Amino acid sequence: MALRLGDTAPDFTAETTEGTITLYDYLGDSWGVLFSHPKDFTPVCTTELGAVAKLKPEFDKRNVKVLGLSVDALGNHKDWAADIEETQGAKLNFPVIADTDRKVSDLYDMIHPNANDTLTVRSVFIIGADKKVKLIITYPASTGRNFDEILRVIDSLQLTANYSVATPVNWKDGEDVIIVPAVSDDDAKAKFPKGWKALKPYLRVTPQPNK
Ligand code: BEZ
């Protein structure tokens, strides 16, 4: 069955551009982003991997390890890295899985046969420090992803994990957040010393706690 939010992210061992990696060892206590692209030496994928390489310091800042994947062979990944550097101005600085036997693609349901029989779609899995799947998104091959949005979601997920808050529509880091309904007003007094504004009893807005 396909993975769902809250499931434990399946562990695996795979060949990557940075050697053999076992997911759980690679992640350690960090969060993770596992993402697939359809094919090496293709235009949209080239821009995506360049963008992720440029954003690596942002992932590092959030204690997030990034791991790419396609079903292409290791030699292709390595040759393609030169094109990514040449055209996108960024050196590949995170491991990319060469999933030629489709072991990881199948484990994470990254091949959608009605889209393409053999190639992975653009899947993204955000994995928490607890190894649970926190977010799953799927894009078609023709649409490059917005990795700034992935960072925005990580900021939201990490706030939820650390402070019992949720984030409202179009929220960005630094903006007000929402106290989750599971926290009573009495508990909120201790948890949110900056106070909150109750627009409704269920809609309590408070300054972002870690700012
Ligand atoms: C691309 O990355 O441009 C791409 C890859 C596979 C199918 C279509 C587009």
Side-chain angles (χ1 to χ4, degrees):
M1 194 168 74
L3 282 173
R4 293 177 174 173
L5 300 189
D7 289 354
T8 299
D11 198 14
F12 57 79
T13 299
E15 295 309 311
T16 83
T17 48
E18 296 187 8
T20 305
I21 280 182
T22 297
L23 179 69
Y24 282 18
D25 292 343
Y26 175 62
L27 295 180
D29 295 329
S30 302
W31 288 56
V33 173
L34 171 65
F35 72 101
S36 57
H37 64 270
K39 198 165 174 50
D40 295 359
F41 300 104
T42 54
V44 177
C45 299
T46 302
T47 62
E48 283 194 330
L49 270 71
V52 175
K54 285 182 193 159
L55 287 173
K56 174 85 168 14
E58 293 298 322
F59 288 107
D60 289 346
K61 216 158 65 183
R62 292 163 174 82
N63 193 28
V64 177
K65 299 262 183 77
V66 183
L67 186 54
L69 175 150
S70 82
V71 297
D72 294 286
L74 206 49
N76 284 348
H77 284 351
K78 288 185 172 165
D79 292 346
W80 183 40
D83 289 1
I84 294 169
E85 187 170 1
E86 181 191 328
T87 62
Q88 307 304 307
K91 202 175 169 64
L92 203 60
N93 52 9
F94 58 91
V96 180
I97 297 169
D99 194 34
T100 50
D101 61 2
R102 304 188 165 97
K103 188 176 78 180
V104 181
S105 308
D106 287 342
L107 203 55
Y108 280 78
D109 199 28
M110 291 165 161
I111 295 177
H112 297 197
N114 289 325
N116 189 296
D117 270 350
T118 53
L119 303 178
T120 45
V121 291
R122 298 188 197 280
S123 296
V124 183
F125 293 86
I126 297 180
I127 301 167
D130 58 2
K131 308 290 185 292
K132 302 289 184 199
V133 175
K134 305 292 184 186
L135 169 135
I136 302 172
I137 51 176
T138 309
Y139 276 54
S142 53
T143 305
R145 286 159 284 198
N146 182 338
F147 283 91
D148 290 329
E149 167 63 4
I150 306 298
L151 288 169
R152 190 190 74 88
V153 177
I154 289 167
D155 286 340
S156 171
L157 288 166
Q158 293 187 338
L159 274 178
T160 301
N162 295 328
Y163 297 99
S164 309
V165 294
T167 57
V169 60
N170 295 335
W171 172 87
K172 288 193 290 302
D173 188 42
E175 295 178 355
D176 287 353
V177 299
I178 289 170
I179 301 171
V180 296
V183 175
S184 68
D185 279 355
D186 274 351
D187 290 344
K189 280 178 196 143
K191 270 181 181 280
F192 302 102
K194 294 174 192 162
W196 66 88
K197 189 169 159 192
L199 302 174
K200 290 283 177 190
Y202 59 83
L203 178 48
R204 296 167 296 173
V205 178
T206 189
Q208 185 173 323
N210 61 345
K211 292 285 177 186

